[in-house]
Amino acid sequence: MNFHQPPFTHINHVTINVQDLKRSLDFYQEIIGFSVLSTSKNEAQLTADGKTPLLTVHQPQDVIPKQPRTTGLYHFAILLPERADLGRILNHFAQLNIPLGSSDHLVSEALYLNDPDGNGIEVYWDKPHSTWTWKGGQVEMAVDPIDARAILAEGEGEPWTGLPSKTVMGHLHMHAADLDETADFYTKGLGFEVVSALGNQALFLSTGRYHHHIGLNTWNGTGAPKPAENSVGLQSFNVHFPSQDERVAAASRLKTLGYQVETGQDGTISTEDPSGNKMFLTI
């Protein structure tokens, strides 16, 4: 099942701040496997299929390094189409001696790394939806070791040539200042559902019974402040709705809940969650 197209609301694009645009472009092309879709003086749009922007890297004026103990980016997650794709990129990372974390989440197998500025990245593939276990409305997830040899074996026979064209932005995981308040914003406002909880420290939300389109945690501390706008980290992201009616309805619900929603002259709709994470509501 494709959880990253209509009728599901999902995250389809993320913009991050970096300290050195050229350094980041080298990393995201040579290490991660993106292609450059467009560039300007201080930012570049990156793509996997040559036409759809998935990630924008932006170098703010007077940029400062990533600030610790703030809200914002924990990691953005790049979803690969097949396990063999994960095997090929794992072999690629190994050949380059890239420091990695990894986990079998029962619903997926994932690799974790940081870009040169410390922005967190997950690269993963989803196990078949039919194998996921649901109990009481929540999907069972874990943090188990991956079978690296089996994953590498899946990728044998073909060289790594970059991200496959069917790669998408799988999910976005963020630090929050208050878990309950931020969860209300995404559920009551944007229409996501909580599908997994890690005690009172982390929540995972989705539409259509995906394992998660959004992750939230308080691992940087309850009440963590919003980072400076020129700090390395998350600048903004797109919440993609399946229709204009659903986008407008979500904006209306947010206003009713007391959140500020701005509509630009070009029709863009933007807002911030209670933790200061900025987003655009798109179709």
Side-chain angles (χ1 to χ4, degrees), residues 102-110 127 141-147:
S102 62
S103 187
D104 183 333
H105 293 301
L106 303 182
V107 295
S108 63
E109 291 174 309
K127 297 183 180 183
M141 294 196 288
V143 186
D144 294 335
I146 63 169
D147 187 339

Side-chain angles (χ1 to χ4, degrees), residues 139-172:
V139 65
E140 185 176 340
M141 294 196 288
V143 186
D144 294 335
I146 63 169
D147 187 339
R149 289 186 178 181
I151 293 171
L152 286 169
E154 290 268 359
E156 288 181 353
E158 293 185 27
W160 180 81
T161 57
L163 293 175
S165 62
K166 293 184 179 180
T167 299
V168 298
M169 187 63 67
H171 62 265
L172 178 62

Side-chain angles (χ1 to χ4, degrees), residues 127-271:
K127 297 183 180 183
H129 181 247
S130 60
T131 67
W132 303 355
T133 300
W134 291 82
K135 295 180 180 178
Q138 296 210 355
V139 65
E140 185 176 340
M141 294 196 288
V143 186
D144 294 335
I146 63 169
D147 187 339
R149 289 186 178 181
I151 293 171
L152 286 169
E154 290 268 359
E156 288 181 353
E158 293 185 27
W160 180 81
T161 57
L163 293 175
S165 62
K166 293 184 179 180
T167 299
V168 298
M169 187 63 67
H171 62 265
L172 178 62
H173 194 154
M174 294 171 284
H175 295 290
D178 183 284
L179 207 57
D180 291 338
E181 183 183 11
T182 307
D184 281 349
F185 173 93
Y186 288 100
T187 56
K188 296 176 182 178
L190 295 183
F192 289 89
E193 295 179 336
V194 175
V195 293
S196 185
L198 184 60
N200 60 357
Q201 298 182 33
L203 291 174
F204 302 91
L205 306 93
S206 75
T207 61
R209 287 170 67 88
Y210 187 51
H211 57 73
H212 66 295
H213 292 110
I214 293 172
L216 301 169
N217 72 68
T218 53
W219 297 330
N220 274 352
T222 300
K226 174 184 174 181
E229 289 189 10
N230 61 332
S231 167
V232 161
L234 180 66
Q235 184 192 105
S236 66
F237 60 97
N238 289 0
V239 181
H240 190 75
F241 290 85
S243 70
Q244 171 69 354
D245 287 346
E246 290 178 76
R247 180 175 79 139
V248 170
S252 178
R253 290 194 300 268
L254 289 174
K255 291 177 182 177
T256 299
L257 291 169
Y259 295 105
Q260 184 174 352
V261 178
E262 297 183 1
T263 301
Q265 292 183 347
D266 57 356
T268 58
I269 300 177
S270 62
T271 187

